[in-house]
Amino acid sequence: MSDTPTYKNILVTKLDNPKGLKVGQIQLNRPDVLNALNIELMGELVSTLESFDKDTEVGCIIITGSAKAFAAGADIKEMATQSAIDMHIRDQFSVWDKIRKIKKPIIAATSGFVLGGGCELTMACDMIVAAESTKFGQPEIKLGIIPGAGGTQRLTRAIGKARAMEMILTGRMYTAREMFEAGLVTRLADDEVFLEEAQALAKEIASMPQMALQMAKDSILKSFDTTVEGGLEYERKAFYLLFASDDMKEGMSAFVEKRKPEWKHK
Ligand code: DAK
């Protein structure tokens, strides 16, 4: 484990990984307000994601919270006084868009409340490892608004129209098991070990060759905004591009020579 810069609203660590590259871990840390995502926290989170994305020591990223809450949503007290025009002019929410530009895989490790923008943040990640205690919800309807950071789009694609409709139109909370069965959650874990399970998954992924990981993530995400035919063409180009990587040559030579590959991540 090694230390990285200190922030006010998040705790940042790099976890050693004997199997491969390190895991960059970000813990949301506003426990008094259940990790409500204010503008300052989002700025710190996104800048750390961007710095992990450029850090050649890091192969995979985890975002987690506290036992009681991954995040109970965007900071309502901060939003309550804003007008539509304020939000348009200040454009403070645009920082959220940068999450989808991160090339390395991101795992959300959740427990407790995962509500509103907190739920949307997990969906902007690539996988969700959820403790049994996790409660997912999009309660914005109860505030007179709707999800604004991708909830209507990503949730619908993840769990289907009928379930997304119920979840968003009622604002109800759902258990981790319900969300696992619905297809939102990658893995369910006991509360005591969910973070370790997420870290083990992150370390396994961080031991894979970076170029292939990033092309795979990019191609999977492409499937959300293209036709099957367009996506297949995109995948084919990414597949061909990997034949320009050192790691493709190393991976195939290692297989033929019956030895473990030594990745250069190039
Ligand atoms: N914002 C601010 N403070 C919050 C908060 C939040 N979302 N959630 C909880 N807190 C604060 C509470 O006010 C309380 O503070 P004090 O009163 O002690 O000062 C403290 O955290 C503990 O909360 P409770 O006392 O309420 O704790 P309980 O266990 O009784 O209840 C709860 C837990 C999670 C059920 C409850 O706190 C709750 O309902 N919270 C609000 C959940 C919610 O409605 N979330 C959705 C917010 S709207 C966008 C990006 C993002 C968004 C929109 C647009 N763009 C990119 C455009 C996102 C919008 C949202 O998330």
Side-chain angles (χ1 to χ4, degrees):
M1 204 182 277
S2 54
D3 286 331
T4 45
T6 309
Y7 294 100
K8 196 167 148 205
N9 305 284
I10 57 173
L11 301 170
V12 179
T13 334
K14 285 202 267 181
L15 307 173
D16 290 332
N17 178 15
K19 290 189 197 160
L21 294 181
K22 295 186 186 199
V23 170
Q25 181 173 290
I26 303 168
Q27 183 179 0
L28 310 177
N29 190 34
R30 297 186 75 211
D32 296 346
V33 287
L34 306 180
N35 291 333
L37 304 167
N38 65 357
I39 292 161
E40 191 177 48
L41 182 153
M42 286 308 299
E44 292 178 2
L45 172 66
V46 168
S47 114
T48 307
L49 286 172
E50 288 176 335
S51 102
F52 279 155
D53 214 26
K54 291 196 194 97
D55 186 338
T56 51
E57 281 188 351
V58 170
C60 187
I61 303 167
I62 291 179
I63 305 177
T64 192
S66 64
K68 188 159 182 211
F70 173 81
D75 192 319
I76 300 170
K77 291 162 199 162
E78 197 177 63
M79 273 188 304
T81 53
Q82 299 231 24
S83 72
I85 304 302
D86 286 340
M87 285 196 278
H88 178 77
I89 292 172
R90 294 190 200 137
D91 203 19
Q92 294 144 335
F93 283 108
S94 60
V95 70
W96 285 73
D97 302 336
K98 297 184 179 171
I99 300 172
R100 60 194 283 264
K101 305 278 181 214
I102 301 297
K103 297 192 192 94
K104 291 179 184 166
I106 312 174
I107 300 173
T110 67
S111 59
F113 296 112
V114 180
L115 303 177
C119 190
E120 292 171 303
L121 176 58
T122 66
M123 291 188 283
C125 296
D126 303 308
M127 285 155 279
I128 303 173
V129 175
E132 294 270 3
S133 68
T134 310
K135 291 172 276 293
F136 290 93
Q138 295 285 167
E140 289 89 342
I141 199 91
K142 296 179 178 172
L143 299 169
I145 55 172
I146 66 167
T152 62
Q153 304 303 303
R154 291 199 179 104
L155 188 64
T156 306
R157 282 167 171 79
I159 68 175
K161 174 188 142 189
R163 287 191 180 105
M165 281 282 182
E166 184 186 279
M167 199 163 159
I168 292 171
L169 303 192
T170 65
R172 257 189 238 153
M173 287 188 221
Y174 296 79
T175 64
R177 187 163 295 278
E178 285 173 304
M179 286 297 102
F180 176 69
E181 282 160 10
L184 184 72
V185 165
T186 313
R187 279 197 200 188
L188 261 186
D190 287 338
D191 281 20
E192 298 71 38
V193 295
F194 79 97
L195 187 55
E196 283 82 349
E197 287 213 13
Q199 290 169 346
L201 176 61
K203 287 179 184 178
E204 182 183 343
I205 291 170
S207 72
M208 300 299 163
Q210 265 303 312
M211 287 302 102
L213 275 183
Q214 293 185 16
M215 291 294 158
K217 168 169 172 167
D218 186 42
S219 298
I220 293 168
L221 290 182
K222 185 51 93 181
S223 73
F224 289 96
D225 6 276
T226 187
T227 58
V228 173
E229 196 179 350
L232 287 171
E233 275 173 32
Y234 195 84
E235 179 193 76
R236 181 72 46 86
K237 296 274 185 332
F239 178 82
Y240 288 159
L241 188 58
L242 286 168
F243 280 68
S245 71
D246 291 346
D247 283 343
M248 168 268 161
K249 291 173 190 69
E250 171 62 7
M252 294 199 182
S253 306
F255 177 81
V256 173
E257 293 158 19
K258 299 189 187 298
R259 61 174 175 82
K260 274 187 79 176
E262 284 184 29
W263 305 125
K264 292 190 184 142
H265 304 290
K266 286 188 191 166

